[in-house]
């Protein structure tokens, strides 16, 4: 099904809003390939909302992570981010946006009742990336990941339609953290190039590794053991998240199961490389992605129902207009 057909299935008809969703889709397809592949396993009517959540997160990420921007004055970077964050936050609060990306993100939040507190937590973590370069303990890192990863899982949760949103919230949070820890391990070298280290300093000390060792790209036995420890920790979070899949609507399960398998596959690749993550980026091969995706697509097609649409109570003309008042629905957010 085409992207425009997915917008039709979601009942999104306003031309400006459609353009915003399609722009988010472009960002998602370009920068989040594994995540985007998994999105194709959701019923078409729900895909645009995932594009919007990704597009918003990607824009914030670019503001704090762009290498050209990082080369500039720190004060200028902070000022640029704060101006963007304040504008977007105000748009979420009033329920309307004229921004090319914000329009779809605000519409998604209103449609699915995603609490603004999740947006606030996300912006707080992005703000930390402007000044924080290390995390002394895992507890410190976990606080950062609440906004950078856990709330992404919580924002997604309404779209996945769990039978009991309250029970599904903690597994959704755990899966967001599992994905984030996988990214941290995969991107150690790239993050160091940006001046950041997302491996807790207490872990480095426990394994006799220094930041200088990592910056030199040294693949010593101690570094290998450190990375093996990080893989085990990430797998523990995947295990904590696993019960959540069965809590989701049957239409949502194939997408999340496939995303989990593909992301966890990055850890397999890290192990196959003997934990060499400082000078290379572990990737799940195209053949594996297609194989997992194809099998999951068959299961997804069986699970989809012709009635799959956004909730009828929000399918109103006011939802289509970016000048409408915010929807009063509330929900637990992933």
């Amino acid at each position: 099904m085409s992207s425009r057909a997915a917008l039709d299935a979601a009942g999104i008809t306003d031309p400006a809003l459609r353009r915003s969703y399609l722009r988010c889709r472009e960002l998602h397809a370009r920068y989040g390939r594994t995540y985007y592949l998994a999105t194709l396993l959701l019923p078409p009517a729900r895909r645009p909302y995932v594009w919007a959540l990704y597009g918003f997160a990607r824009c914030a990420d670019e503001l704090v992570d762009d290498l050209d921007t990082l080369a500039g004055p720190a004060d200028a970077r902070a000022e640029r981010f704060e101006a963007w964050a304040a504008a977007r936050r105000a748009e979420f609060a009033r329920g309307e946006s004229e921004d090319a990306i914000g329009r779809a993100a605000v519409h998604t939040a209103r449609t699915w009742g995603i609490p603004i507190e999740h947006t606030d937590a996300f912006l707080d973590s992005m703000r930390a990336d402007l000044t924080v370069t290390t995390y002394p303990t895992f507890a410190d890192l976990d606080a950062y990941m609440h906004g950078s990863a856990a709330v992404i899982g919580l924002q997604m949760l309404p779209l996945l339609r769990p039978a009991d949103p309250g029970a599904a919230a903690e597994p959704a949070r755990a899966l967001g953290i599992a994905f984030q820890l996988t990214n941290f391990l995969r991107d150690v070298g790239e993050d160091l190039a940006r001046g950041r280290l997302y491996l807790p300093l207490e872990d480095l000390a426990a394994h006799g590794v220094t930041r200088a060792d990592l910056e030199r790209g040294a693949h010593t036995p101690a570094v290998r053991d450190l990375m093996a420890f990080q893989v085990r920790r990430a797998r523990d979070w995947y295990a904590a998240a696993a019960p959540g899949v069965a809590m989701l609507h049957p239409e949502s399960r194939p997408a999340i199961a496939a995303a989990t398998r593909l992301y966890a596959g990055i850890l397999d690749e890290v192990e196959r490389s003997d934990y060499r993550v400082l000078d290379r980026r572990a990737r799940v091969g195209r053949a594996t992605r297609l194989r997992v995706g194809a099998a999951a697509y068959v299961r997804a097609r069986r699970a989809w129902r012709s009635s799959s649409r956004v909730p009828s109570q929000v399918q109103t003309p006011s939802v289509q207009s970016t000048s409408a008042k915010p929807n009063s629905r509330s929900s637990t957010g992933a």
Side-chain angles (χ1 to χ4, degrees), residues 181-199:
L181 290 173
T182 302
N183 286 340
F184 287 159
L185 188 59
R186 179 195 63 189
D187 299 337
V188 173
E190 293 180 14
D191 289 333
L192 283 169
R194 293 185 173 95
R196 303 193 195 109
L197 178 63
Y198 294 105
L199 306 183

Side-chain angles (χ1 to χ4, degrees), residues 1 5-12 42-50 111-112 159 251 304-310 315:
M1 177 177 281
L7 292 172
D8 293 341
I12 298 169
L42 290 172
R46 276 180 271 160
R47 295 174 196 168
Y49 304 106
V50 186
T111 299
W112 292 96
L159 282 67
E251 293 175 348
W304 295 350
R305 298 173 182 173
S306 60
S307 62
S308 181
R309 295 290 188 273
V310 293
Q315 285 279 43

Side-chain angles (χ1 to χ4, degrees), residues 70-148:
L70 285 170
D75 289 347
R77 288 194 293 115
E79 183 177 348
R80 181 185 176 196
F81 174 80
E82 292 299 345
W84 181 89
R88 302 291 81 77
R89 207 291 182 181
E91 291 167 354
F92 276 92
R94 69 174 182 264
E96 60 183 32
S97 174
E98 296 302 320
D99 180 72
I101 298 298
R103 182 180 282 111
V106 169
H107 179 262
T108 293
R110 292 170 53 224
T111 299
W112 292 96
I114 298 173
I116 196 170
E117 289 80 6
H118 295 335
T119 300
D120 290 339
F122 172 74
L123 293 174
D124 284 345
S125 286
M126 294 301 97
R127 184 176 291 109
D129 277 337
L130 293 168
T131 56
V132 180
T133 59
T134 56
Y135 292 86
T137 68
F138 184 77
D140 297 319
L141 185 64
D142 184 60
Y144 167 81
M145 290 191 295
H146 171 72
S148 68

Side-chain angles (χ1 to χ4, degrees), residues 43 249-254 297-305:
H249 191 284
E251 293 175 348
S252 303
R253 293 172 193 166
Y297 186 73
V298 171
R299 292 192 295 272
R301 291 285 298 186
R302 291 171 180 163
W304 295 350
R305 298 173 182 173

Side-chain angles (χ1 to χ4, degrees), residues 200-312:
L201 295 182
E202 65 180 2
D203 294 350
L204 270 67
H207 290 85
V209 175
T210 67
R211 179 168 179 156
D213 294 331
L214 301 179
E215 290 172 339
R216 286 197 305 272
H219 186 65
T220 63
V223 168
R224 181 192 180 283
D225 290 345
L226 170 65
M227 300 309 173
F229 174 77
Q230 303 302 321
V231 167
R232 291 194 298 273
R233 171 181 279 157
R235 291 198 190 283
D236 287 342
W237 282 95
Y238 281 110
V245 176
M247 299 178 185
L248 305 177
H249 191 284
E251 293 175 348
S252 303
R253 293 172 193 166
I256 302 307
T260 300
R261 183 173 176 184
L262 290 171
Y263 258 89
I266 294 173
L267 301 180
D268 296 336
E269 296 302 319
V270 169
E271 289 173 328
R272 273 193 275 272
S273 73
D274 194 36
Y275 304 95
R276 293 180 180 273
V277 296
L278 298 176
D279 60 352
R280 65 195 69 181
R281 199 171 194 256
R283 299 179 185 273
V284 174
R286 176 181 173 83
T288 299
R289 292 200 307 271
L290 291 176
R291 183 174 65 254
V292 171
Y297 186 73
V298 171
R299 292 192 295 272
R301 291 285 298 186
R302 291 171 180 163
W304 295 350
R305 298 173 182 173
S306 60
S307 62
S308 181
R309 295 290 188 273
V310 293
S312 59

